[in-house]
Amino acid sequence: MTTPALRTNGNRPHASLVTLGAGWMWPAVLVAFFVSFLYLPAHAANTGAVDGLIATIAALYVVAVSVGLVRLVRGGVLRVAGSGDPIVLFGRGPEPLFDVRIRARWRLAAIGAGGLVAGTAVAGAGSLIGTAAPGTYAHALASLALGVNLALVGGVLVPAPGFTGWALMLAVADAAGTGFDRRVRRAARLAQLTGVPIFLSLGLAAAALGDPMLMLVGFLVAMFIGTQTSMAVGHDAIARFLRGRVLGDLARPVAGHADPDEPVEALMTRLPGSTAVTAVEAGGALIGAIGPRQLAARDRDRAGQRVSEIMVALGDVALLPAATPAADVPAAIGRHGFALVRGAAGLAYIEANDLLGQIQAGAAGSGDTAGGREVPVSGPLDERPSPRDHEG
């Protein structure tokens, strides 16, 4: 699927060119600790404190430049394509590599340009390693540059969510003219047909050569690709099902009512279903609710436990209008497993397992199948991945 390139017409002004992303500080602290106390001392021992400090600063500079330069080049290509998102040098932030409004060929070019920069750095670092004397800071810095850029190249070669290779698979699917509703499934199938065999072969080759660590890496990455791409298909089905709907389309009427002093065992004997949510009322006023998660967490060894002891108080329950977009419901039901809905017909509820069943039925009815099989839709509904918060 290809779309026209973005244009700035006053409705979507360009953001600042370069910015720092979110969540980069603690990884930077860990990298600094690793470089200062583990990596450099293991390469060059018995050196002065000043030399060690200079080497540490240089090592952090090598890491920052390696990561930042790849992102800068990649983001520069996308800005030429019309992206209005800032270039995130470190951490998380808007990632236009997943933006379908940018033509697939531009996204492929951006990934290729970033990979070329990292590959060039790998070649340069490899040549420096050959000229630097072992046991020196120069050799340590060249080895560090080699490792970091090899990891950046490897990110393009791993076709799984969380890696640049997943953006590559999506761009390839879009370039082939895949419809928007099928692009994630097509990309997942492509990743499983290419990445899984490649890394399985790597593991088998490592086993034949007697390298247990490389063998383990190959097998684990192959399993990771299969698992993560299947989850991406499920999350995509959830997002597509919720898109364009409101809570009133999905909510079930509250049919069960309980008194706060009623025993929990008595309530369970008259529940209308395993996904039902029960309203708890005192003197005709709603004071709380109980869902399947609260019933599952009850004390089974305690007889006579009352409804009021396991209910969710009304002040802690998400009480949403029926016109609320359905895309907002995963966050609303994340804490207690359900949310209450105010509608013209009275009080209703959205429950996680019931919603998942509706999504699965919708996926089957819309023909969301892969290879003749229904696409599994699973995973916690309160963990929606955002393609624009990709770590790249």
Side-chain angles (χ1 to χ4, degrees), residues 2 56 63 106 170 188 205 220 229 237 259 285 295:
T2 57
T56 298
V63 175
W106 282 106
L170 288 171
L220 287 179
T229 52
D259 186 88
L295 292 173

Side-chain angles (χ1 to χ4, degrees), residues 179-239:
F180 181 80
D181 288 347
R182 296 183 295 114
R183 63 191 297 265
V184 173
R185 280 179 286 147
R186 180 70 62 84
R189 176 58 61 87
L190 183 60
Q192 292 167 3
L193 291 177
T194 56
V196 172
I198 289 174
F199 283 96
L200 279 179
S201 300
L202 175 64
L204 293 174
L209 295 174
D211 189 336
M213 290 303 298
L214 189 58
M215 175 187 68
L216 181 62
V217 168
F219 290 153
L220 287 179
V221 173
M223 182 173 64
F224 177 79
I225 292 172
T227 301
Q228 291 298 108
T229 52
S230 296
M231 289 182 62
V233 173
H235 284 301
D236 177 66
I238 291 174

